[in-house]
Amino acid sequence: MLGETVTLNAERGVTLSCYVQPVDGEFAGVTARPAVLILPGGGYQYCSDREADPVAYPFLAAGYQAFVLRYSVGDQGAWPRPLDDYEQAMAQLTANAEAWHLDPTKIAVIGFSAGGHLAAVAATMAEHRPAAAILGYPVILPEIADRCRPGMPYPAEHVTADTAPTFLFHTRDDDVTVVENTLAFASALAGAGVPFEAHVYSYGAHGFSTGAAHLNPRPLTPRARSWVPESIAWLDETLGALTASGIGEPRLSSDGATGGRTPA
């Protein structure tokens, strides 16, 4: 596996960590893999290491190429710089699709908390929209978005039928980004007819990442860890499952439409 870090903006400390798995050889039937672009949380003040590389590992195990974007934060994070960083990262993935053995039409974005806000903006408004989005305890509500960084867009207000299919997870008693953030975005998706899946777990503090004990010292229902395999299974349905013969077709939803979309 190739592991390297690409500097996207040295002045602002923006980097893209790349975990690239081979194709061909023992993977003779696989010519390209799906990919995930991970956006850590941190209130737009920092990028959490707990929600960065550790999140990449289970998706690598599922066969995905994985990338972690450490976007502009703190004094360097005035909007729209974080979104510009996302656009640059997606452009890098597309430009290097052949070298990094990925299918540019099968890139999902994963965002946590403030990174979930950025991922939701990407899913609704970005030039390079992902094929799917996974949002963990995201910042959606205007009052919380303004608290992180005044002047940012409110993603739920920009949901349309062209919004990327979305998987959401949260805990009922999150006291930092309250569960109404996820409920508001899910409601907007439902109103626009966008495919989505949402999981609200019974209890757990904010920022639990994958739910692994070493990443989350606070009380958390063990079932919250299931968001990882559940989201991978959902991506299989939405984008098509990676098999020994390559990426399969997306499964049909109940209304007969495929769940995936081609990035804009």
Side-chain angles (χ1 to χ4, degrees), residues 11-218:
E11 181 181 354
R12 301 206 302 264
V14 179
T15 62
L16 183 67
S17 299
C18 310
Y19 297 95
V20 178
Q21 303 183 80
V23 296
D24 300 324
E26 289 188 79
F27 308 102
V30 178
T31 58
R33 297 173 181 269
V36 292
L37 176 61
I38 299 163
L39 310 177
Y44 284 111
Q45 297 305 307
Y46 66 99
C47 286
S48 170
D49 288 335
R50 296 184 305 104
E51 296 165 345
D53 304 79
V55 178
Y57 304 145
F59 288 88
L60 289 166
Y64 286 72
Q65 310 293 30
F67 303 85
V68 179
L69 175 64
R70 289 175 170 85
Y71 50 89
S72 298
V73 293
D75 294 340
Q76 298 291 335
W79 194 264
R81 284 179 174 176
L83 181 58
D84 293 342
D85 299 337
Y86 162 84
E87 299 280 19
Q88 186 179 0
M90 286 290 279
Q92 285 277 333
L93 267 61
T94 300
N96 290 284
E98 183 175 357
W100 289 344
H101 313 307
L102 65 88
D103 184 335
T105 71
K106 307 286 187 180
I107 302 172
V109 64
I110 306 175
F112 300 85
S113 193
H117 172 271
L118 182 54
V121 172
T124 55
M125 303 172 58
E127 177 184 353
H128 297 90
R129 293 193 194 178
I134 298 172
L135 309 182
Y137 36 89
V139 170
I140 301 293
L141 296 177
E143 59 268 28
I144 299 179
D146 289 344
R147 194 185 311 155
C148 287
R149 180 77 63 183
M152 297 191 304
Y154 308 137
E157 296 180 359
H158 297 276
V159 170
T160 68
D162 292 328
T163 296
T166 304
F167 181 101
L168 302 109
F169 64 94
H170 218 121
T171 53
R172 177 192 56 80
D173 58 348
D174 187 328
D175 61 357
V176 177
T177 59
V178 294
V179 71
E180 283 80 5
N181 286 271
T182 280
L183 300 179
F185 201 72
S187 179
L189 294 169
V194 178
F196 76 94
E197 182 168 322
H199 296 256
V200 177
Y201 299 102
S202 57
Y203 66 91
H206 182 75
F208 59 85
S209 183
T210 64
H214 71 287
L215 300 174
N216 181 64
R218 293 165 291 183

